Amino acid sequence: MNGSQHSKILILGSGPAGLTAAIYTSRANLNPVLVHGPLPGGQLTTTTEVENFPGFPEGVMGPDLMQLFEKQAARFGAKIMVDTINKVDLNTRPFKLSSDKQLYTCDALIIATGAVPKYLGLPEERELLGYGLSTCATCDGAFFRNKTIMVVGGGDSAAEEALFLTRFGSQVLLVHRRDELRASKIMRQRVVEHPKIKPLWNRAVAKIHGDKKSGVTGVTLKDTVSGKTEEVQTDGLFIAIGHTPSSQLFKGVLDMDENGYIVPKPNSTLTNIAGVFACGDVQDHVFRQAITAAGTGCMAAIEAERWLESQHA
Ligand code: NAP
């Protein structure tokens, strides 16, 4: 280890939540240190065009938007570091977080580590993400007006995405590996009764067709009962098989729900440990939008600032 450094506020994560917290706390002269892993910018860096972030009437590329966030945080003096925290001790203050290289201590901690969508594990997914393949209907649905759209999954997320996508697509194909949805009863009913949604039961995506130039053009589906394969044309493919919140470091330390999402106190970013705040997708399985993540990042910054003031730190 190369030594230690102390900051009043340490922020983990460089998506919209973490960087907004960095903008607010640096403008409040709290000299925050923001640590992020090897892939900065969070989920927006894996999307192409973002059309629903306010202030960009012509749209903005996801990675460009995150660079602007970072530039704004750096302007006010936020120190941004690339490192992988692998150990935390929140039992005593200052809190201690360490990587293989360094020990970080802080008076207040803002956790904005986000969540990662689950993927099917097919090699084409990486290439086609942002080119017809998406994990967010709210973000990308509007690109598929009057087109055929396919959604994969059988839970509430898949049901919600499929229903939302009926606003745009001429038809929504819902591919599920069993013959019964896991989604809640009301969502199941809405899905099966919707005239635009066609469920394709007992099917798994075996291969995705397309390239960066043409986008997704279709998939090979495998019948999970008979093993037979078929080719199905689609213009868009939405993978909605769940998300994994990046909260493993805090398991057993912070209050979480059964899926590993940190549960802050109602209408706040306060966790069960005083001085530790959670914002963005690591505590939100409902909205998962850049703008809502940024909003909770702002809340965490203000709550951390007020808490530090109350501690005379
Ligand atoms: P989920 O409930 O875990 O469902 C994941 C779905 O994807 C399941 O149907 C699963 O199939 C399927 N799946 C998983 N891995 C797969 C793979 N490799 N290939 C093909 N299919 C795969 O996840 P979720 O839908 O994201 O929901 C997560 C939690 O958030 C749930 O508690 C849900 O109720 C909640 N949620 C609530 C709302 C709401 O209230 N508005 C909206 C979204 C989510 P099997 O069924 O065969 O396992």
Side-chain angles (χ1 to χ4, degrees), residues 120 153-158 160 176-178 182 240-242 259 285 288:
L120 299 170
D156 278 318
S157 292
E160 211 170 67
H176 184 36
R177 62 186 177 185
R178 298 185 291 125
R182 178 184 292 278
I241 59 173
N259 295 314
H285 64 83
R288 296 195 192 110

Side-chain angles (χ1 to χ4, degrees), residues 145 162-169 172 196:
R145 277 180 212 282
L163 287 161
F164 179 76
L165 289 166
T166 58
R167 299 181 194 188
F168 307 104
V172 177
K196 271 195 186 176

